[in-house]
Amino acid sequence: MLNPFFRAGRFWVAVASCSVIEGMSPMNRCLAAFAIAISLFTPIAHANDALEAKVRAYVPVVSLAKVCDIRINDATSGDHRAMLEAAKSDPDANKLAYRLHYETQTAYIKARDGGQRVAFCKDFITANSKYAKARFTAVVEGHMSDVSTSVQKAIAHNVCGAPPVKLSKADWKPYALIKKMLQTEQKLAKENAETNGWNVNEETTAVTEQFCAAMR
């Protein structure tokens, strides 16, 4: 939606125009002025509405990318850059972007300080899955595409409780590498939690959940 002050500005443009259209009655002059105002501003209104939708979609995701360990897909990254360029020439969109960033960060800080950081980020990523996902999930998905189905099933069994599967000799090395990657991420999550005063169990469990999400 457009800024109410911006909409009001259009009204006063139209009212002021009532007095400058000669040769018409006062009522007809006003009707003509409003018709001119609508014809001039309708295309811009649609453009601003589209820009506002992009600001609302992309700013919160980018705002939480670092703190929630979010990986933004390439399409969203490109749209976000284009949106920022467009917002530079639209004061309303620019103000909205700043406000959304502030509100998103405020919500995150409130959740974090209340011991709900993981739950908040998990819910946020789920709600914005079209634009982003947990970084580690995306990384694991990339690695999974490079290994055999047997390795994938063995990892799913070992980490996520899936049915067991036998590995060939050739599969043991990639299996061990992926297990090592998970252990490294869990160690980093533990260290980050201890450094920042977060719940260690929640943070390490979240890593495992991200890992298993990539197995589905």
Side-chain angles (χ1 to χ4, degrees), residues 2-24:
L2 294 170
N3 186 301
F5 292 105
F6 194 55
R7 290 197 299 269
R10 294 181 192 178
F11 172 78
W12 290 115
V13 166
V15 170
S17 300
C18 291
S19 61
V20 297
I21 303 177
E22 300 296 333
M24 295 185 185

Side-chain angles (χ1 to χ4, degrees), residues 109-120 197-199 202:
I109 291 169
K110 182 178 180 181
R112 181 199 66 191
D113 292 350
Q116 298 296 315
R117 193 190 86 85
V118 168
F120 175 87
W198 302 335
N199 185 298
E202 281 189 356

